[in-house]
Amino acid sequence: MYKLYCRAFQSVLKLGTYFMPWRTPKLLEGKNSLGQLPRLIKNNEINSVLIVTDKGISSLGLMNSLLKGLEDHDIKYCVYDKTVPNPTIDNIEEALKLYYSNRCKGIIAFGGGSPMDCAKGVGARIARPQKTIPQMKGLFKVLKKIPPLFAIPTTAGTGSEATIAAVITNQETHEKYAINDLVLIPKYAVLDPALTVGLPPHITSTTGLDALTHAVEAYIGRSNTKETKELSRKAVNLIFDNLFEAYSNGANLVARENMQKASFYAGIAFTRAYVGYVHALAHPLGGFYGTPHGLANAVILPYVLEYYGEPAHKPLAELADLIGISEKTDTTEEKALKFIDAIKKLNQSMEIPETIGGIKEKDIPTMSDRAFNEANPLYPVPRILSREDLIKLYDLIRVKI
């Protein structure tokens, strides 16, 4: 009965999405496209901005050209660089105070998914000052225009520059959850591959697998449109063609640019078609242990795809055909298993581990409950799993002591 309820909920939501005002960010693309942003901000009649980033970005000097460009265009700015991985409610509230005290009119998110999530959280609080972040958890709790948001990704993985989601961690309860609302889609996104050239290999690999997870989970789910399927296919192709090259030869701008496109395509796909149990299982790991989201997704992805079994075989077989690893004589199941094996081999080639350390057995029931509640009834997965299934999956992915 519960599974019927989930499927009914998903069907109604899918139908409703056809009537929603979906949009994609306007893009500035290509090497050194960041230099075009200050003039664009000025043309939008914004004279003061909050920049949300993290200590790593600010210490590397990646923002220097942007800051000079803002100064040259007489745009005042203040920088919040205390965002942590898996950004917290405290991060949002601190940045919000800075926004108000400097009378800002727009927000620039500069960095990976964490600064973008934090910036979106600030935007949500400005739009709904009477609501706390926990009160906006879930679907469509903002519903009011946020300040203009300009997203500048420095990784190629989260796709946050294209999505409706801000993923926040409650540092007191260790709960990690999403605020989902169309108003959180950035107004502009800057895809400048030069900003990703200095990424360490392990960040390149895990964020790239994050993008692959978005594309695969969107593709195999039941809420696809013609557009989301095509975007997922484009992303999967680009990732298998470019991720290892970007990992092993970080200065290759073509590979870097293609990975940015893949991340963007996957972001658009999953923000409309949703994700699945990989993300539901990954989020509690970030909330409890601070496990980087891309790493968690990379490790979990093959386990969940195998666990789905037959309901996922057909779309996975299609992806195997797409990347050219199947034979005409292969059965649908054989093709699907070859695709899962290709993910495992990609992980191994980039030294991504097969399991995650530090998971405490006593935490698994609570994490499984949170994963279950995140996924059901929202995620249109190939097969609806139980809490017991999720406990088994956590036991598979953890390092046994």
Side-chain angles (χ1 to χ4, degrees):
M1 186 63 72
Y2 183 74
K3 291 180 180 180
L4 289 175
Y5 163 70
C6 290
R7 292 306 189 198
F9 180 94
Q10 292 158 15
S11 296
V12 170
L13 189 60
K14 181 180 180 180
L15 181 63
T17 61
Y18 286 100
F19 302 97
M20 294 178 186
W22 294 97
R23 61 181 176 83
T24 55
K26 297 176 183 176
L27 287 180
L28 299 177
E29 297 180 82
K31 184 181 178 183
N32 299 324
S33 54
L34 178 61
Q36 303 169 37
L37 184 59
R39 181 180 295 277
L40 180 66
I41 293 172
K42 192 71 172 181
N43 289 344
N44 277 266
E45 300 181 345
I46 297 169
N47 57 17
S48 181
V49 294
L50 168 69
I51 301 173
V52 179
T53 188
D54 58 44
K55 288 289 186 186
I57 296 293
S58 60
S59 65
L60 289 171
L62 285 177
M63 297 191 300
N64 289 351
S65 65
L66 171 65
L67 301 183
K68 185 177 185 305
L70 294 174
E71 291 167 2
D72 290 345
H73 286 83
D74 296 318
I75 300 169
K76 296 178 182 178
Y77 62 84
C78 55
V79 177
Y80 179 78
D81 64 357
K82 297 179 183 178
T83 310
V84 297
N86 304 306
T88 65
I89 295 171
D90 283 351
N91 285 150
I92 292 169
E93 296 302 320
E94 290 170 0
L96 180 66
K97 288 178 182 176
L98 206 55
Y99 181 94
Y100 281 131
S101 64
N102 288 272
R103 298 180 180 180
C104 298
K105 301 298 181 185
I107 305 171
I108 296 175
F110 198 114
S114 295
M116 280 190 264
D117 286 342
C118 183
K120 289 179 180 181
V122 172
R125 287 282 285 117
I126 294 165
R128 290 286 189 180
Q130 78 283 9
K131 285 189 175 184
T132 64
I133 289 296
Q135 287 172 332
M136 290 185 278
K137 170 185 174 182
L139 285 175
F140 311 126
K141 304 284 181 63
V142 186
L143 294 174
K144 276 194 173 183
K145 191 175 181 181
I146 70 169
L149 175 59
F150 305 86
I152 308 169
T154 58
T155 64
T158 70
S160 293
E161 70 278 3
T163 73
I164 67 171
V167 182
I168 311 300
T169 298
N170 184 323
Q171 63 272 26
E172 294 179 1
T173 64
H174 304 295
E175 185 181 10
K176 186 174 178 179
Y177 52 79
I179 299 170
N180 297 284
D181 202 296
L182 294 174
V183 300
L184 299 181
I185 299 172
K187 187 172 184 178
Y188 291 93
V190 180
L191 302 184
D192 188 337
L195 295 174
T196 68
V197 165
L199 276 180
H202 74 281
I203 301 294
T204 298
S205 62
T206 54
T207 55
L209 261 296
D210 190 14
L212 182 63
T213 303
H214 294 152
V216 173
E217 289 208 291
Y219 190 80
I220 68 176
R222 295 187 172 197
S223 288
N224 269 297
T225 66
K226 184 178 179 181
E227 180 191 25
T228 61
K229 290 192 77 169
E230 183 57 30
L231 288 170
S232 293
R233 290 169 65 87
K234 283 183 178 180
V236 169
N237 237 340
L238 284 168
I239 291 165
F240 273 97
D241 284 348
N242 293 277
L243 178 53
F244 183 76
E245 173 62 19
Y247 165 82
S248 55
N249 181 12
N252 186 327
L253 274 177
V254 173
R256 291 292 192 184
E257 186 172 9
N258 284 334
M259 283 304 302
Q260 281 191 319
K261 288 179 180 177
S263 177
F264 185 72
Y265 292 153
I268 298 172
F270 90 81
T271 206
R272 178 77 183 265
Y274 298 100
V275 284
Y277 287 112
V278 179
H279 275 75
L281 290 162
H283 286 152
L285 294 175
F288 270 75
Y289 313 116
T291 308
H293 181 63
L295 173 62
N297 278 347
V299 173
I300 296 168
L301 180 59
Y303 291 99
V304 170
L305 296 182
E306 286 178 336
Y307 203 89
Y308 280 140
E310 191 275 333
H313 284 166
K314 183 176 182 296
L316 292 176
E318 292 169 359
L319 294 178
D321 289 340
L322 176 74
I323 63 172
I325 58 171
S326 58
E327 303 289 340
K328 288 183 179 180
T329 55
D330 288 340
T331 66
T332 299
E333 180 180 5
E334 287 169 339
K335 289 180 180 182
L337 293 177
K338 280 187 175 181
F339 184 75
I340 296 169
D341 192 53
I343 295 172
K344 291 179 180 179
K345 288 176 179 176
L346 184 59
N347 279 351
Q348 290 166 3
S349 72
M350 299 183 296
E351 300 183 349
I352 292 172
E354 294 181 6
T355 52
I356 295 173
I359 299 176
K360 299 175 183 176
E361 193 168 0
K362 68 179 180 63
D363 293 335
I364 289 178
T366 301
M367 292 195 300
S368 299
D369 282 344
R370 290 182 179 178
F372 181 87
N373 291 331
E374 174 183 331
N376 304 318
L378 180 61
Y379 294 162
V381 289
R383 173 186 161 204
I384 294 172
L385 303 182
S386 66
R387 287 179 174 84
E388 290 71 27
D389 291 321
L390 300 180
I391 288 172
K392 290 177 184 177
L393 281 162
Y394 272 129
D395 197 52
L396 286 172
I397 67 170
R398 72 185 180 95
V399 173
K400 305 299 189 296
I401 298 173

